[in-house]
Amino acid sequence: MTIQTGLDIHPTSAQEPGHGASFLWLELTGLCQLSCTHCYADSGPTKTHGTMTTNDWLSVIDDAAVIGVGAIQFIGGEPTLHPALPELIRHASSLGIATEVYSNLVRIRADIWDTLVEYNVRLATSYYSDQPEQHTLITGNALAHKRTTENISKAIARGIPVRVGIVAVLEDQRVEQARQLLADLGVQDIEVDHVRRAGRANTEVDTPLGELCGQCAGDVLAVYPDGVVRPCVFTRSLQVGDVLESSLRQVIDSPELATARTAIGNATAENQRHRDGICGPDVCNPRCLPICVPGQFVCKPKGGQY
């Protein structure tokens, strides 16, 4: 899965490391109905919700509000499989924090649909092909294409904002046909991204810092199911703290995070330079990828592809 937050916030640039946090990924679980070949989190049907309890997650959200976090994305694994998701959404909303759920949309419980509508939650999902067979080849679930497609339509009918990221995994993948199918369903926010070398997409080495978009050198953070804090969901081996041992504020003020943000900023300086003005409708550079930034400022190469 590739990640695009799409929430309307603008994090500090990678060249000017932030000192706080305006956006959080909360990775609630490693459990997922799918077994995607490229899954950055190595999630799947045999994984668990980790060691974070509901109260632990509520405490993180409390800390986030105090720090000034404006937006949270609940992710996984499949976050809708976590029994506390509605409670966590309600709590974040009560503190004035905007929320988005990144779901595979294979199955959404009735209470979650109601929560999404009541608290103006955005939905995001990944999609792969207009052909069920190709979708199955990537996700490992023969029902995923049908159910995800149906639930995209259901979300749109309920007035829930939906973003879709088409992840280019296969050489012969029907990306443009998938884009057209989604547009026909009424999806207006459609992006295309490539696979990040993390999790099952990279079993030999850590994700090279130079492949990151660079925004995690700024004021964004990810909290994992075991309480570990990392700069983002792709930096799986770069630990900067643990919310089961210290507060989110302490993590933000730690030298470990400062060092990590500096290293990421240095490694992605060229990426950020392209984002800051060199990219345009006619000229773009592969360094402009990935598009996992928590904002709307992403460059479009010629032809509108990402």
Side-chain angles (χ1 to χ4, degrees):
M1 185 198 306
T2 192
I3 310 306
Q4 308 162 54
T5 62
L7 297 174
D8 192 18
I9 62 174
H10 295 268
T12 305
S13 77
Q15 296 169 333
E16 298 177 357
H19 297 292
S22 63
F23 174 87
L24 291 181
W25 287 276
L26 299 188
E27 190 173 303
L28 297 183
T29 181
L31 183 64
C32 184
Q33 306 100 320
L34 308 183
S35 301
C36 296
T37 57
H38 61 292
C39 180
Y40 75 95
D42 194 23
S43 60
T46 64
K47 300 305 174 80
T48 72
H49 297 320
T51 54
M52 289 280 284
T53 67
T54 299
N55 285 336
D56 291 331
W57 286 117
L58 291 171
S59 294
V60 168
I61 294 172
D62 286 336
D63 284 351
V66 172
I67 291 164
V69 169
I72 286 173
Q73 185 185 79
F74 295 103
I75 195 168
E78 174 49 42
T80 64
L81 294 177
H82 197 288
L85 178 61
E87 180 181 359
L88 299 178
I89 290 172
R90 288 193 296 269
H91 190 61
S93 297
S94 73
L95 297 173
I97 301 175
T99 58
E100 181 177 73
V101 174
Y102 206 112
S103 168
N104 58 38
L105 293 181
V106 169
R107 181 179 181 273
I108 306 295
R109 303 192 314 262
D111 62 320
I112 292 179
W113 280 122
D114 293 341
T115 301
L116 297 177
V117 172
E118 181 176 358
Y119 293 96
N120 300 311
V121 180
R122 295 180 56 133
L123 268 179
T125 192
S126 295
Y127 207 78
Y128 303 100
S129 176
D130 64 320
Q131 291 185 341
E133 297 81 7
Q134 200 169 64
H135 198 91
T136 299
L137 182 63
I138 295 170
T139 64
N141 187 312
L143 297 176
H145 186 270
K146 178 177 184 292
R147 290 182 174 178
T148 299
T149 305
E150 290 176 348
N151 281 324
I152 288 173
S153 295
K154 188 173 183 178
I156 292 172
R158 287 173 173 250
I160 299 170
V162 179
R163 296 185 307 104
V164 181
I166 302 175
V167 189
V169 180
L170 307 174
E171 288 187 6
D172 61 344
Q173 192 168 327
R174 294 170 59 86
V175 170
E176 287 307 313
Q177 293 88 341
R179 187 200 294 269
Q180 186 58 57
L181 185 155
L182 292 166
D184 291 343
L185 291 176
V187 180
Q188 297 181 357
D189 193 345
I190 306 169
E191 311 294 357
V192 178
D193 199 9
H194 65 268
V195 174
R196 221 51 63 226
R197 283 195 286 168
R200 281 198 292 275
N202 183 13
T203 59
E204 296 181 359
V205 297
D206 297 335
T207 304
L209 295 184
E211 287 195 3
L212 301 173
C213 69
Q215 297 306 313
C216 48
D219 57 349
V220 302
L221 284 174
V223 182
Y224 285 56
D226 56 359
V228 168
V229 183
R230 296 184 171 97
C232 83
V233 291
F234 292 122
T235 53
R236 312 297 292 182
S237 62
L238 191 58
Q239 180 173 339
V240 297
D242 189 329
V243 294
L244 293 177
E245 298 177 356
S246 57
S247 69
L248 196 58
R249 176 78 267 173
Q250 289 172 312
V251 173
I252 288 173
D253 291 336
S254 69
E256 290 81 4
L257 179 57
T259 299
R261 283 176 166 171
T262 298
I264 293 169
N266 291 338
T268 60
E270 186 70 6
N271 307 32
Q272 190 63 35
R273 186 171 72 87
H274 281 282
R275 285 190 180 279
D276 287 344
I278 292 180
C279 291
D282 298 317
V283 178
C284 198
N285 186 291
R287 291 179 179 275
C288 294
L289 296 167
I291 53 173
C292 61
V293 298
Q296 302 295 338
F297 52 100
V298 292
C299 71
K300 292 184 179 181
K302 186 175 182 179
Q305 291 286 325
Y306 283 76

